mmCIF file of all heavy atoms in Angstrom:
data_model
loop_
_atom_site.group_PDB
_atom_site.id
_atom_site.type_symbol
_atom_site.label_atom_id
_atom_site.label_comp_id
_atom_site.label_asym_id
_atom_site.label_seq_id
_atom_site.Cartn_x
_atom_site.Cartn_y
_atom_site.Cartn_z
ATOM 1 N N HIS X 1 12.471 40.511 3.606
ATOM 2 C CA HIS X 1 11.231 39.744 3.635
ATOM 3 C C HIS X 1 11.034 38.972 2.325
ATOM 4 O O HIS X 1 10.708 37.781 2.343
ATOM 5 C CB HIS X 1 10.042 40.674 3.894
ATOM 6 C CG HIS X 1 8.715 39.987 3.840
ATOM 7 N ND1 HIS X 1 8.295 39.122 4.819
ATOM 8 C CD2 HIS X 1 7.728 40.015 2.913
ATOM 9 C CE1 HIS X 1 7.104 38.654 4.501
ATOM 10 N NE2 HIS X 1 6.728 39.190 3.352
ATOM 11 N N CYS X 2 11.248 39.622 1.201
ATOM 12 C CA CYS X 2 11.115 38.956 -0.103
ATOM 13 C C CYS X 2 12.127 37.820 -0.234
ATOM 14 O O CYS X 2 11.797 36.738 -0.735
ATOM 15 C CB CYS X 2 11.302 39.963 -1.233
ATOM 16 S SG CYS X 2 9.940 41.128 -1.383
ATOM 17 N N GLY X 3 13.351 38.061 0.224
ATOM 18 C CA GLY X 3 14.371 37.024 0.176
ATOM 19 C C GLY X 3 13.994 35.824 1.039
ATOM 20 O O GLY X 3 14.156 34.671 0.629
ATOM 21 N N LEU X 4 13.477 36.107 2.231
ATOM 22 C CA LEU X 4 13.058 35.016 3.122
ATOM 23 C C LEU X 4 11.876 34.248 2.543
ATOM 24 O O LEU X 4 11.800 33.024 2.690
ATOM 25 C CB LEU X 4 12.714 35.562 4.506
ATOM 26 C CG LEU X 4 13.907 36.055 5.336
ATOM 27 C CD1 LEU X 4 13.420 36.686 6.630
ATOM 28 C CD2 LEU X 4 14.880 34.929 5.617
ATOM 29 N N MET X 5 10.966 34.935 1.898
ATOM 30 C CA MET X 5 9.842 34.262 1.259
ATOM 31 C C MET X 5 10.329 33.361 0.120
ATOM 32 O O MET X 5 9.830 32.247 -0.067
ATOM 33 C CB MET X 5 8.818 35.276 0.743
ATOM 34 C CG MET X 5 8.126 36.064 1.846
ATOM 35 S SD MET X 5 7.232 35.021 2.997
ATOM 36 C CE MET X 5 5.863 34.540 1.994
ATOM 37 N N ALA X 6 11.324 33.838 -0.640
ATOM 38 C CA ALA X 6 11.887 33.024 -1.719
ATOM 39 C C ALA X 6 12.589 31.796 -1.149
ATOM 40 O O ALA X 6 12.463 30.682 -1.682
ATOM 41 C CB ALA X 6 12.865 33.856 -2.556
ATOM 42 N N VAL X 7 13.334 31.973 -0.050
ATOM 43 C CA VAL X 7 14.002 30.842 0.599
ATOM 44 C C VAL X 7 12.965 29.846 1.108
ATOM 45 O O VAL X 7 13.134 28.629 0.962
ATOM 46 C CB VAL X 7 14.913 31.336 1.744
ATOM 47 C CG1 VAL X 7 15.387 30.177 2.619
ATOM 48 C CG2 VAL X 7 16.106 32.090 1.185
ATOM 49 N N GLN X 8 11.884 30.342 1.691
ATOM 50 C CA GLN X 8 10.827 29.465 2.181
ATOM 51 C C GLN X 8 10.213 28.659 1.037
ATOM 52 O O GLN X 8 9.978 27.458 1.161
ATOM 53 C CB GLN X 8 9.739 30.267 2.894
ATOM 54 C CG GLN X 8 8.638 29.401 3.462
ATOM 55 C CD GLN X 8 7.541 30.213 4.134
ATOM 56 O OE1 GLN X 8 7.518 31.430 4.043
ATOM 57 N NE2 GLN X 8 6.642 29.526 4.803
ATOM 58 N N GLY X 9 9.969 29.306 -0.095
ATOM 59 C CA GLY X 9 9.441 28.590 -1.259
ATOM 60 C C GLY X 9 10.405 27.520 -1.740
ATOM 61 O O GLY X 9 9.996 26.392 -2.066
ATOM 62 N N SER X 10 11.692 27.860 -1.762
ATOM 63 C CA SER X 10 12.696 26.878 -2.180
ATOM 64 C C SER X 10 12.756 25.706 -1.213
ATOM 65 O O SER X 10 12.867 24.545 -1.629
ATOM 66 C CB SER X 10 14.074 27.531 -2.274
ATOM 67 O OG SER X 10 14.084 28.524 -3.274
ATOM 68 N N LEU X 11 12.677 26.000 0.080
ATOM 69 C CA LEU X 11 12.693 24.927 1.076
ATOM 70 C C LEU X 11 11.453 24.051 0.966
ATOM 71 O O LEU X 11 11.531 22.832 1.140
ATOM 72 C CB LEU X 11 12.818 25.512 2.484
ATOM 73 C CG LEU X 11 14.182 26.106 2.836
ATOM 74 C CD1 LEU X 11 14.131 26.763 4.213
ATOM 75 C CD2 LEU X 11 15.283 25.063 2.776
ATOM 76 N N ASN X 12 10.312 24.637 0.655
ATOM 77 C CA ASN X 12 9.096 23.852 0.464
ATOM 78 C C ASN X 12 9.235 22.911 -0.733
ATOM 79 O O ASN X 12 8.836 21.750 -0.671
ATOM 80 C CB ASN X 12 7.882 24.759 0.282
ATOM 81 C CG ASN X 12 7.450 25.410 1.584
ATOM 82 O OD1 ASN X 12 7.770 24.940 2.663
ATOM 83 N ND2 ASN X 12 6.731 26.510 1.480
ATOM 84 N N ARG X 13 9.806 23.429 -1.829
ATOM 85 C CA ARG X 13 10.016 22.578 -3.003
ATOM 86 C C ARG X 13 11.031 21.477 -2.701
ATOM 87 O O ARG X 13 10.864 20.327 -3.101
ATOM 88 C CB ARG X 13 10.473 23.416 -4.191
ATOM 89 C CG ARG X 13 9.350 24.232 -4.822
ATOM 90 C CD ARG X 13 9.778 24.875 -6.128
ATOM 91 N NE ARG X 13 10.877 25.817 -5.979
ATOM 92 C CZ ARG X 13 10.751 27.088 -5.589
ATOM 93 N NH1 ARG X 13 9.559 27.568 -5.321
ATOM 94 N NH2 ARG X 13 11.798 27.864 -5.478
ATOM 95 N N LEU X 14 12.079 21.828 -1.955
ATOM 96 C CA LEU X 14 13.085 20.842 -1.569
ATOM 97 C C LEU X 14 12.467 19.772 -0.670
ATOM 98 O O LEU X 14 12.758 18.578 -0.822
ATOM 99 C CB LEU X 14 14.245 21.528 -0.850
ATOM 100 C CG LEU X 14 15.434 20.657 -0.452
ATOM 101 C CD1 LEU X 14 16.058 20.015 -1.675
ATOM 102 C CD2 LEU X 14 16.456 21.484 0.293
ATOM 103 N N ASN X 15 11.593 20.176 0.241
ATOM 104 C CA ASN X 15 10.906 19.225 1.100
ATOM 105 C C ASN X 15 10.043 18.280 0.260
ATOM 106 O O ASN X 15 10.024 17.072 0.502
ATOM 107 C CB ASN X 15 10.049 19.974 2.124
ATOM 108 C CG ASN X 15 9.387 19.041 3.106
ATOM 109 O OD1 ASN X 15 9.934 18.019 3.467
ATOM 110 N ND2 ASN X 15 8.196 19.397 3.537
ATOM 111 N N GLY X 16 9.350 18.818 -0.730
ATOM 112 C CA GLY X 16 8.545 17.976 -1.624
ATOM 113 C C GLY X 16 9.407 17.001 -2.402
ATOM 114 O O GLY X 16 9.053 15.829 -2.562
ATOM 115 N N SER X 17 10.546 17.475 -2.871
ATOM 116 C CA SER X 17 11.458 16.593 -3.601
ATOM 117 C C SER X 17 12.013 15.506 -2.697
ATOM 118 O O SER X 17 12.136 14.342 -3.114
ATOM 119 C CB SER X 17 12.620 17.403 -4.189
ATOM 120 O OG SER X 17 12.145 18.339 -5.122
ATOM 121 N N ALA X 18 12.361 15.861 -1.471
ATOM 122 C CA ALA X 18 12.871 14.867 -0.523
ATOM 123 C C ALA X 18 11.804 13.822 -0.213
ATOM 124 O O ALA X 18 12.100 12.628 -0.118
ATOM 125 C CB ALA X 18 13.341 15.549 0.761
ATOM 126 N N LEU X 19 10.568 14.246 -0.076
ATOM 127 C CA LEU X 19 9.476 13.312 0.183
ATOM 128 C C LEU X 19 9.279 12.372 -1.004
ATOM 129 O O LEU X 19 9.122 11.162 -0.834
ATOM 130 C CB LEU X 19 8.184 14.079 0.475
ATOM 131 C CG LEU X 19 6.953 13.237 0.779
ATOM 132 C CD1 LEU X 19 7.167 12.395 2.029
ATOM 133 C CD2 LEU X 19 5.735 14.121 0.946
ATOM 134 N N ALA X 20 9.311 12.925 -2.221
ATOM 135 C CA ALA X 20 9.166 12.091 -3.416
ATOM 136 C C ALA X 20 10.317 11.088 -3.520
ATOM 137 O O ALA X 20 10.111 9.920 -3.853
ATOM 138 C CB ALA X 20 9.104 12.970 -4.664
ATOM 139 N N LEU X 21 11.529 11.546 -3.219
ATOM 140 C CA LEU X 21 12.692 10.649 -3.262
ATOM 141 C C LEU X 21 12.563 9.557 -2.208
ATOM 142 O O LEU X 21 12.880 8.386 -2.466
ATOM 143 C CB LEU X 21 13.979 11.444 -3.047
ATOM 144 C CG LEU X 21 15.279 10.662 -3.082
ATOM 145 C CD1 LEU X 21 15.466 9.986 -4.436
ATOM 146 C CD2 LEU X 21 16.457 11.561 -2.777
ATOM 147 N N SER X 22 12.080 9.909 -1.044
ATOM 148 C CA SER X 22 11.881 8.918 0.012
ATOM 149 C C SER X 22 10.877 7.861 -0.421
ATOM 150 O O SER X 22 11.104 6.663 -0.219
ATOM 151 C CB SER X 22 11.390 9.618 1.277
ATOM 152 O OG SER X 22 11.018 8.683 2.255
ATOM 153 N N GLU X 23 9.776 8.267 -1.025
ATOM 154 C CA GLU X 23 8.781 7.303 -1.503
ATOM 155 C C GLU X 23 9.348 6.439 -2.622
ATOM 156 O O GLU X 23 9.085 5.236 -2.687
ATOM 157 C CB GLU X 23 7.530 8.042 -1.971
ATOM 158 C CG GLU X 23 6.746 8.664 -0.833
ATOM 159 C CD GLU X 23 5.583 9.507 -1.301
ATOM 160 O OE1 GLU X 23 5.355 9.604 -2.528
ATOM 161 O OE2 GLU X 23 4.894 10.062 -0.434
ATOM 162 N N PHE X 24 10.136 7.058 -3.499
ATOM 163 C CA PHE X 24 10.776 6.327 -4.592
ATOM 164 C C PHE X 24 11.715 5.251 -4.044
ATOM 165 O O PHE X 24 11.693 4.100 -4.489
ATOM 166 C CB PHE X 24 11.538 7.322 -5.473
ATOM 167 C CG PHE X 24 12.264 6.715 -6.624
ATOM 168 C CD1 PHE X 24 11.571 6.262 -7.739
ATOM 169 C CD2 PHE X 24 13.643 6.611 -6.612
ATOM 170 C CE1 PHE X 24 12.243 5.708 -8.812
ATOM 171 C CE2 PHE X 24 14.329 6.056 -7.681
ATOM 172 C CZ PHE X 24 13.621 5.608 -8.772
ATOM 173 N N LEU X 25 12.527 5.621 -3.045
ATOM 174 C CA LEU X 25 13.459 4.663 -2.455
ATOM 175 C C LEU X 25 12.719 3.573 -1.690
ATOM 176 O O LEU X 25 13.140 2.417 -1.685
ATOM 177 C CB LEU X 25 14.451 5.389 -1.545
ATOM 178 C CG LEU X 25 15.447 6.296 -2.268
ATOM 179 C CD1 LEU X 25 16.301 7.043 -1.261
ATOM 180 C CD2 LEU X 25 16.311 5.519 -3.234
ATOM 181 N N GLN X 26 11.617 3.932 -1.051
ATOM 182 C CA GLN X 26 10.826 2.929 -0.341
ATOM 183 C C GLN X 26 10.241 1.925 -1.329
ATOM 184 O O GLN X 26 10.234 0.725 -1.069
ATOM 185 C CB GLN X 26 9.718 3.608 0.455
ATOM 186 C CG GLN X 26 8.946 2.660 1.340
ATOM 187 C CD GLN X 26 7.948 3.389 2.220
ATOM 188 O OE1 GLN X 26 7.822 4.604 2.157
ATOM 189 N NE2 GLN X 26 7.238 2.655 3.035
ATOM 190 N N LEU X 27 9.774 2.409 -2.463
ATOM 191 C CA LEU X 27 9.257 1.517 -3.494
ATOM 192 C C LEU X 27 10.354 0.576 -3.980
ATOM 193 O O LEU X 27 10.140 -0.625 -4.130
ATOM 194 C CB LEU X 27 8.696 2.321 -4.666
ATOM 195 C CG LEU X 27 8.246 1.524 -5.884
ATOM 196 C CD1 LEU X 27 7.066 0.624 -5.528
ATOM 197 C CD2 LEU X 27 7.875 2.449 -7.026
ATOM 198 N N HIS X 28 11.556 1.109 -4.195
ATOM 199 C CA HIS X 28 12.659 0.257 -4.643
ATOM 200 C C HIS X 28 13.048 -0.749 -3.571
ATOM 201 O O HIS X 28 13.431 -1.868 -3.881
ATOM 202 C CB HIS X 28 13.858 1.113 -5.052
ATOM 203 C CG HIS X 28 13.757 1.593 -6.459
ATOM 204 N ND1 HIS X 28 12.865 2.550 -6.849
ATOM 205 C CD2 HIS X 28 14.404 1.210 -7.577
ATOM 206 C CE1 HIS X 28 12.971 2.753 -8.134
ATOM 207 N NE2 HIS X 28 13.903 1.953 -8.617
ATOM 208 N N ARG X 29 12.954 -0.352 -2.304
ATOM 209 C CA ARG X 29 13.248 -1.280 -1.217
ATOM 210 C C ARG X 29 12.268 -2.447 -1.250
ATOM 211 O O ARG X 29 12.653 -3.605 -1.096
ATOM 212 C CB ARG X 29 13.156 -0.542 0.123
ATOM 213 C CG ARG X 29 13.713 -1.307 1.286
ATOM 214 C CD ARG X 29 13.712 -0.483 2.572
ATOM 215 N NE ARG X 29 14.275 0.837 2.394
ATOM 216 C CZ ARG X 29 13.664 1.969 2.746
ATOM 217 N NH1 ARG X 29 12.483 1.945 3.308
ATOM 218 N NH2 ARG X 29 14.249 3.132 2.554
ATOM 219 N N VAL X 30 10.998 -2.149 -1.490
ATOM 220 C CA VAL X 30 9.981 -3.202 -1.571
ATOM 221 C C VAL X 30 10.253 -4.092 -2.780
ATOM 222 O O VAL X 30 10.181 -5.326 -2.689
ATOM 223 C CB VAL X 30 8.563 -2.589 -1.643
ATOM 224 C CG1 VAL X 30 7.522 -3.632 -1.991
ATOM 225 C CG2 VAL X 30 8.213 -1.924 -0.322
ATOM 226 N N LEU X 31 10.593 -3.483 -3.912
ATOM 227 C CA LEU X 31 10.889 -4.268 -5.114
ATOM 228 C C LEU X 31 12.110 -5.162 -4.909
ATOM 229 O O LEU X 31 12.133 -6.312 -5.363
ATOM 230 C CB LEU X 31 11.088 -3.348 -6.318
ATOM 231 C CG LEU X 31 9.831 -2.642 -6.826
ATOM 232 C CD1 LEU X 31 10.173 -1.674 -7.942
ATOM 233 C CD2 LEU X 31 8.795 -3.654 -7.294
ATOM 234 N N LEU X 32 13.122 -4.656 -4.221
ATOM 235 C CA LEU X 32 14.303 -5.480 -3.944
ATOM 236 C C LEU X 32 13.967 -6.632 -3.007
ATOM 237 O O LEU X 32 14.485 -7.743 -3.170
ATOM 238 C CB LEU X 32 15.420 -4.621 -3.349
ATOM 239 C CG LEU X 32 16.140 -3.709 -4.332
ATOM 240 C CD1 LEU X 32 17.127 -2.808 -3.587
ATOM 241 C CD2 LEU X 32 16.862 -4.501 -5.398
ATOM 242 N N LEU X 33 13.098 -6.393 -2.041
ATOM 243 C CA LEU X 33 12.676 -7.464 -1.152
ATOM 244 C C LEU X 33 11.922 -8.544 -1.925
ATOM 245 O O LEU X 33 12.158 -9.740 -1.734
ATOM 246 C CB LEU X 33 11.797 -6.900 -0.032
ATOM 247 C CG LEU X 33 11.302 -7.887 1.010
ATOM 248 C CD1 LEU X 33 12.463 -8.471 1.801
ATOM 249 C CD2 LEU X 33 10.318 -7.216 1.945
ATOM 250 N N LEU X 34 11.030 -8.116 -2.831
ATOM 251 C CA LEU X 34 10.305 -9.080 -3.654
ATOM 252 C C LEU X 34 11.257 -9.858 -4.562
ATOM 253 O O LEU X 34 11.105 -11.065 -4.743
ATOM 254 C CB LEU X 34 9.238 -8.370 -4.484
ATOM 255 C CG LEU X 34 8.048 -7.819 -3.704
ATOM 256 C CD1 LEU X 34 7.151 -6.985 -4.622
ATOM 257 C CD2 LEU X 34 7.261 -8.924 -3.052
ATOM 258 N N LEU X 35 12.236 -9.174 -5.121
ATOM 259 C CA LEU X 35 13.225 -9.843 -5.964
ATOM 260 C C LEU X 35 14.032 -10.855 -5.153
ATOM 261 O O LEU X 35 14.309 -11.959 -5.626
ATOM 262 C CB LEU X 35 14.163 -8.809 -6.601
ATOM 263 C CG LEU X 35 15.273 -9.361 -7.479
ATOM 264 C CD1 LEU X 35 14.689 -10.111 -8.677
ATOM 265 C CD2 LEU X 35 16.197 -8.253 -7.940
ATOM 266 N N GLN X 36 14.376 -10.491 -3.928
ATOM 267 C CA GLN X 36 15.111 -11.420 -3.064
ATOM 268 C C GLN X 36 14.287 -12.680 -2.815
ATOM 269 O O GLN X 36 14.805 -13.795 -2.918
ATOM 270 C CB GLN X 36 15.447 -10.739 -1.748
ATOM 271 C CG GLN X 36 16.191 -11.628 -0.780
ATOM 272 C CD GLN X 36 16.417 -10.956 0.560
ATOM 273 O OE1 GLN X 36 15.852 -9.905 0.837
ATOM 274 N NE2 GLN X 36 17.227 -11.561 1.391
ATOM 275 N N HIS X 37 13.005 -12.511 -2.503
ATOM 276 C CA HIS X 37 12.157 -13.680 -2.281
ATOM 277 C C HIS X 37 12.026 -14.520 -3.554
ATOM 278 O O HIS X 37 12.038 -15.753 -3.496
ATOM 279 C CB HIS X 37 10.760 -13.255 -1.792
ATOM 280 C CG HIS X 37 10.754 -12.825 -0.364
ATOM 281 N ND1 HIS X 37 10.963 -13.687 0.673
ATOM 282 C CD2 HIS X 37 10.569 -11.612 0.201
ATOM 283 C CE1 HIS X 37 10.901 -13.039 1.815
ATOM 284 N NE2 HIS X 37 10.664 -11.770 1.561
ATOM 285 N N LEU X 38 11.909 -13.846 -4.700
ATOM 286 C CA LEU X 38 11.816 -14.563 -5.965
ATOM 287 C C LEU X 38 13.084 -15.375 -6.220
ATOM 288 O O LEU X 38 13.018 -16.539 -6.625
ATOM 289 C CB LEU X 38 11.579 -13.564 -7.104
ATOM 290 C CG LEU X 38 11.423 -14.139 -8.499
ATOM 291 C CD1 LEU X 38 10.136 -14.970 -8.576
ATOM 292 C CD2 LEU X 38 11.391 -13.032 -9.527
ATOM 293 N N LEU X 39 14.241 -14.786 -5.950
ATOM 294 C CA LEU X 39 15.503 -15.506 -6.147
ATOM 295 C C LEU X 39 15.635 -16.681 -5.196
ATOM 296 O O LEU X 39 16.137 -17.750 -5.584
ATOM 297 C CB LEU X 39 16.682 -14.544 -5.980
ATOM 298 C CG LEU X 39 16.854 -13.519 -7.096
ATOM 299 C CD1 LEU X 39 17.964 -12.539 -6.736
ATOM 300 C CD2 LEU X 39 17.135 -14.177 -8.427
ATOM 301 N N VAL X 40 15.182 -16.519 -3.959
ATOM 302 C CA VAL X 40 15.233 -17.627 -3.002
ATOM 303 C C VAL X 40 14.364 -18.778 -3.501
ATOM 304 O O VAL X 40 14.775 -19.947 -3.474
ATOM 305 C CB VAL X 40 14.783 -17.154 -1.597
ATOM 306 C CG1 VAL X 40 14.499 -18.328 -0.687
ATOM 307 C CG2 VAL X 40 15.847 -16.256 -0.987
ATOM 308 N N HIS X 41 13.162 -18.450 -3.983
ATOM 309 C CA HIS X 41 12.277 -19.504 -4.481
ATOM 310 C C HIS X 41 12.842 -20.159 -5.744
ATOM 311 O O HIS X 41 12.744 -21.376 -5.914
ATOM 312 C CB HIS X 41 10.869 -18.957 -4.730
ATOM 313 C CG HIS X 41 10.152 -18.612 -3.468
ATOM 314 N ND1 HIS X 41 9.812 -19.552 -2.526
ATOM 315 C CD2 HIS X 41 9.721 -17.429 -2.969
ATOM 316 C CE1 HIS X 41 9.198 -18.978 -1.515
ATOM 317 N NE2 HIS X 41 9.134 -17.678 -1.750
#
């Protein structure tokens, strides 16, 4: 039970990290799109 609780905590932290990374990559995707438009102009 203690081991499973520790694994659950680790998975929760990993899920939070994955969510943060996803938002970070989405922000970079938006910045790259803006840069592309700037270069076209």
Side-chain angles (χ1 to χ4, degrees):
H1 176 72
C2 290
L4 289 175
M5 294 300 287
V7 168
Q8 182 182 9
S10 296
L11 289 175
N12 286 339
R13 285 189 298 278
L14 184 60
N15 184 34
S17 297
L19 181 62
L21 181 60
S22 172
E23 290 174 1
F24 179 74
L25 291 175
Q26 186 174 1
L27 174 64
H28 275 71
R29 192 175 311 127
V30 169
L31 290 175
L32 286 174
L33 182 64
L34 290 173
L35 178 62
Q36 179 184 11
H37 285 292
L38 181 66
L39 289 174
V40 166
H41 290 296

